[in-house]
């Protein structure tokens, strides 16, 4: 199974991917997670990406495309993968088509998680994340038992630098301008499936099970 999870920041792409992962052994590839790990480790890629990320802008296409070329040939992708946060521009989508053709594989579906901007703003301003294990919390719906401490690993629970309202609104406008055109791109390719992003954490899993 090879999927793309498409959707605005905060649509729940990572959460849906975790539910799928608990059942199917396919790689979950989040470009945001890869970039954040590079920022944390202080790599050249991390240093390059950091400024774009904190302001909510996209990291340049060629950087992301090279990063994904290397990632898609790793052994854990053999059984399939879910791409979360990639592609984010038409240029990236065209590059992905080329990469897949070279590997002799094809996408099964592109799932578009549909969500209202104001729901995103409310979700993301209240989102918190464990610095150590990545567990996601929400100050309204799912707070950690002890404020600032992860229930799972005891790590520090923080707010992502780009989860403030100004940056969230920038990320949303970047999404509408540069990423939303991919919906049409994949509709034309005949592989787009749209779902309501507020319908439940297992919407993507249900689609996979329906497709068999
Ligand atoms: P995310 O965790 O997917 O919301 O990504 C966080 C940030 O990483 C984005 O706001 C971008 O700055 C950067 N980023 C992640 N994926 C991409 C991509 N495919 N193209 C360009 N920038 C990206």
């Amino acid at each position: 199974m090879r999927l793309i999870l498409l959707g605005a920041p905060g649509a729940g792409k990572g959460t849906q991917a975790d539910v799928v992962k608990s059942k199917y052994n396919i790689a979950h590839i989040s470009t945001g997670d890869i970039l954040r790990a590079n920022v944390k480790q202080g790599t050249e890629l991390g240093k390059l990406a950091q400024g774009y990320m904190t302001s909510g802008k996209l990291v340049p296409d060629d950087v992301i495309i090279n990063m994904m070329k290397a990632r898609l040939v790793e052994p854990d992708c053999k059984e399939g993968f879910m791409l979360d946060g990639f592609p984010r521009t038409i240029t990236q989508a065209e590059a992905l088509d080329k990469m897949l053709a070279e590997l002799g594989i094809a996408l099964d579906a592109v799932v578009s998680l549909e969500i209202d901007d104001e729901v995103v703003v409310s979700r993301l301003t209240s989102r918190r994340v464990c610095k150590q294990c990545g567990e996601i919390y929400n100050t309204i719906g799912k707070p950690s038992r002890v404020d600032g401490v992860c229930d799972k690993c005891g790590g520090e629970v923080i707010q992502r630098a780009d989860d403030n309202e100004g940056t969230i609104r920038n990320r949303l406008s970047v999404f509408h301008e540069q990423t939303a055109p991919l919906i049409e791109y994949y509709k034309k390719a005949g592989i787009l499936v749209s779902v309501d992003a507020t319908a439940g954490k297992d919407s993507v899993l249900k689609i996979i099970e329906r497709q068999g």
Side-chain angles (χ1 to χ4, degrees):
M1 176 63 63
R2 297 183 190 94
L3 288 181
I4 292 178
L5 303 178
L6 199 61
K13 301 184 291 294
T15 307
Q16 298 277 351
D18 284 344
V19 175
V20 174
K21 266 227 89 168
S22 66
K23 221 156 166 200
Y24 294 94
N25 186 27
I26 56 177
H28 170 206
I29 304 175
S30 156
T31 41
D33 285 350
I34 299 174
L35 292 169
R36 276 184 291 280
N38 275 275
V39 170
K40 204 169 159 187
Q41 289 159 15
T43 66
E44 285 307 310
L45 171 61
K47 283 181 202 150
L48 189 152
Q50 193 166 24
Y52 295 99
M53 294 172 79
T54 41
S55 60
K57 290 194 190 127
L58 292 185
V59 174
D61 283 333
D62 57 336
V63 175
I64 298 288
I65 290 165
N66 283 331
M67 185 177 102
M68 287 304 289
K69 266 188 193 156
R71 183 65 186 88
L72 285 177
V73 292
E74 283 184 26
D76 65 333
C77 293
K78 280 243 153 60
E79 299 302 316
F81 49 74
M82 286 171 286
L83 303 183
D84 161 2
F86 175 84
R88 256 175 156 101
T89 63
I90 295 284
T91 304
Q92 291 181 17
E94 288 170 349
L96 175 64
D97 284 346
K98 214 168 141 209
M99 280 178 226
L100 297 177
E102 279 167 14
L103 293 169
I105 53 181
L107 293 168
D108 294 292
V110 176
V111 183
S112 169
L113 293 159
E114 311 278 335
I115 192 161
D116 187 81
D117 281 6
E118 294 313 311
V119 178
V120 166
V121 173
S122 152
R123 268 191 188 184
L124 292 190
T125 48
S126 56
R127 176 164 78 175
R128 299 292 182 272
V129 57
C130 173
K131 232 172 136 175
Q132 207 160 290
C133 74
E135 181 72 2
I136 292 174
Y137 295 93
N138 187 289
T139 55
I140 305 164
K142 186 196 163 194
S144 55
R145 281 194 295 272
V146 178
D147 193 29
V149 181
C150 180
D151 296 350
K152 267 197 167 169
C153 75
E156 190 188 353
V157 174
I158 54 147
Q159 181 169 30
R160 258 170 60 172
D162 56 352
D163 275 350
N164 63 79
E165 186 167 348
T167 307
I168 293 165
R169 293 208 183 269
N170 281 346
R171 287 157 68 201
L172 279 168
S173 57
V174 166
F175 171 77
H176 290 298
E177 280 163 29
Q178 304 198 55
T179 309
L182 295 180
I183 296 175
E184 204 46 46
Y185 183 89
Y186 289 116
K187 203 184 271 177
K188 276 193 190 140
I191 51 172
L192 188 85
V193 186
S194 297
V195 294
D196 176 357
T198 62
K201 292 179 178 165
D202 56 356
S203 313
V204 175
L205 178 66
K206 282 183 184 155
I207 290 168
I208 293 176
E209 294 187 328
R210 226 180 293 142
Q211 291 203 335

